[in-house]
Amino acid sequence: MKLVIAGGSGLIGSALSLQLLEKGHSLTVLTRSPVARAPHPNQKWQLWSPPTPGAWEETIDGADAVINLAGEPIAAKRWSEEQKEKIRSSRVDTTRALVGAIAKAKKKPRLLLNASAVGYYGPHGDEILTEAAGPGDDFLSRVSSAWEDEAEKAQDYGLRVIRLRTGIVLAKGGGALAKMAPPFKLFAGGPLGSGKQWLSWIHIEDEVGLILFLLEHPHAHGAVNATAPNPATMREFCKTLGRVLHRPSWAPVPAFVLRPMLGEMADMLLTGQRVFPDTAQRLGYSFRYPNLYEALQACMPL
């Protein structure tokens, strides 16, 4: 297939691009900064600055599918009002720009696979959440809901739209584990807050594997939870991480410490969602890493 990827240089996008190229697909990666390295023969890099129109829109015309993974990292900085707007705009406005380019294309793609997040659901305690659950009403929920609404507009132009609600991605050398592992290595690791909040996670190989599966599955559409079938509580997650690193998990960080440090962002860490991948399993996707211990082991060394 001829594919366009926005956000193709991030953690997920980089791993996905390698797999797509190995399968013989041709890729155009939309990037905000020039790329110095020589591209793969089947890979091109196109500068873009959404939501500003430009030459990048021409890459959409004739593509078979558009994969949108673009977005400011959620935990990159404290959530000032400026940073919150950057998080929102990098998702909502960017998706709107992509759908606008799709509308202009003479030969339109067949599929828009658009990233979203399990933050869509908001805090739900121990409640089991599938794709049928509605959105929450906190900051990340509102951003994710608006993000998905923009992607859904591509259906007006005949596209199959998939909204991929991803959990915490476990990967070697990057992502959440790169921030979580150092305290454990210093024998100072432990759960955040009560430890009872749920973490819905997925190994990077399953994140990429599920995207490939959905690209090739003509009946897949709508919301798809990209999470392993066995979510864990924060306490269970940290205990398992400590076991894999051969370190104790004994130093919890109380909520009253996190809130002054992180502000509103602390709510994301102190609450959670117990999400299950009903749609992926119903469609027949088989998880390579359904269990947390094996998934964390596969990420070693950190």
Side-chain angles (χ1 to χ4, degrees), residues 215-230:
L215 281 175
E216 298 168 359
H217 202 296
H219 300 296
H221 69 278
V224 178
N225 291 335
T227 60
N230 293 295

Side-chain angles (χ1 to χ4, degrees), residues 142-207:
R142 293 191 296 271
V143 168
S144 297
S145 184
W147 194 9
E148 293 192 10
D149 286 346
E150 293 299 329
E152 286 279 85
K153 293 175 183 177
Q155 292 183 123
D156 296 341
Y157 306 105
L159 276 72
R160 176 168 65 101
V161 177
I162 295 173
R163 295 166 282 128
L164 194 69
R165 296 172 181 164
T166 297
I168 295 172
V169 178
L170 306 182
K172 184 183 295 186
L177 286 180
K179 296 183 178 182
M180 296 180 74
F184 281 86
K185 292 180 179 180
L186 296 173
F187 293 86
L192 305 179
S194 69
K196 296 178 181 179
Q197 67 272 40
W198 287 90
L199 298 182
S200 296
W201 58 272
I202 187 169
H203 190 278
I204 185 69
E205 289 187 28
D206 278 318
E207 176 78 8

Side-chain angles (χ1 to χ4, degrees), residues 72-74 77-92 138-140 142-143 264-265:
E72 173 77 6
I74 292 293
K77 299 177 182 177
R78 187 185 177 96
W79 288 357
S80 64
E81 289 304 312
E82 180 182 359
Q83 182 64 10
K84 286 167 69 174
E85 175 55 25
K86 186 179 292 186
I87 290 170
R88 189 206 66 81
S89 178
S90 66
R91 288 162 171 77
V92 178
D138 60 358
F139 169 66
L140 289 181
R142 293 191 296 271
V143 168
E264 188 178 351
M265 191 197 301

Side-chain angles (χ1 to χ4, degrees), residues 56-58 60-62 66 95-109 112 150-151 153-159:
W56 66 268
E57 293 180 308
E58 298 171 10
I60 305 296
D61 201 334
V66 176
T95 304
R96 184 181 299 128
L98 281 170
V99 174
I102 289 169
K104 296 176 185 177
K106 293 179 181 178
K107 184 181 179 183
K108 302 188 190 305
L112 171 62
E150 293 299 329
K153 293 175 183 177
Q155 292 183 123
D156 296 341
Y157 306 105
L159 276 72

